[in-house]
Amino acid sequence: MEIMLFHSALGLRPAVHEAADRLRAAGHSVRVPDLYDGQTATTMDEGLAIKEKTGADELLRRAVAAAAPHSDGGLVYAGFSLGGAIAQNLALGDERARGLLLLHGTSDIADGAAVDDLPVQLHVADPDVFEPHDWLTAWYLRMRSAGADVEVFRYPGVGHLYTDSGFTDYDEAATEETWQLATAFLADIAGERH
């Protein structure tokens, strides 16, 4: 199965490549586009500054350009934080999308968005300053209304980017649990279509 994995606001850091390697070891083909043209950040403030300088429209354009040549066979879109928001936007706009794996981030949902039982799995810190409870409740209801089959896993007491081994939020136990669940989720999707 082919997965398009988008980095967080920190850029294409080693943790993204580590995640891609985990998914490849599970038998998937994984692409990790660099939406920041080689720039990376060590703090969230630095990363958000790169995001703002690049602009949301340009980031989305780059993501679409990266995914489009590979989308005919049906991609699973995945991403970390900002990358999750981008992955969500692409998955909801791609009628061939096979799934959506969100790590630490979501996006608003356009009015009229509709999918046909799109499998969606979200892993998020609890609480998370970037994904507050009220937002996540509304997001869940809107995703369900759009036709998505949504699972949400919350991880109490961890930081926002808890799967990034090179970042201060890293939590090994929560990361391992996340990847066990995510790998099973992807295996279920792969099994549905073969």
Side-chain angles (χ1 to χ4, degrees), residues 12-170:
L12 189 53
R13 294 159 43 88
V16 182
H17 291 295
E18 290 166 14
D21 288 344
R22 279 184 190 252
L23 297 173
R24 289 182 186 115
H28 305 293
S29 171
V30 185
R31 297 181 188 279
V32 286
D34 184 353
L35 304 181
Y36 278 5
D37 287 336
Q39 297 178 87
T40 59
T42 55
T43 69
M44 195 57 72
D45 285 345
E46 288 174 10
L48 293 174
I50 297 169
K51 173 194 165 198
E52 292 305 316
K53 183 177 177 189
T54 307
D57 290 345
E58 176 62 14
L59 289 172
L60 191 58
R61 187 200 66 73
R62 292 176 184 181
V64 169
H70 312 287
S71 64
D72 283 349
L75 291 169
V76 171
Y77 293 94
F80 298 94
S81 191
L82 167 67
I86 290 168
Q88 178 186 308
N89 286 317
L90 268 60
L92 292 180
D94 180 357
E95 63 187 21
R96 293 176 303 268
R98 294 183 61 185
L100 176 60
L101 175 61
L102 301 172
L103 300 147
H104 324 298
T106 62
S107 179
D108 201 2
I109 300 160
D111 290 336
V115 293
D116 186 14
D117 289 328
L118 180 72
V120 178
Q121 191 176 80
L122 168 64
H123 298 269
V124 65
D126 184 14
D128 188 322
V129 65
F130 295 103
E131 301 286 326
H133 286 162
D134 288 351
W135 164 264
L136 286 176
T137 299
W139 173 86
Y140 176 84
L141 293 172
R142 292 197 70 188
M143 285 294 277
R144 295 286 299 163
S145 293
D149 181 11
V150 185
E151 293 180 293
V152 178
F153 295 94
R154 297 174 189 254
Y155 298 83
V158 300
H160 174 66
L161 274 179
Y162 66 83
T163 63
D164 187 326
S165 61
F167 195 57
T168 54
D169 290 346
Y170 181 62

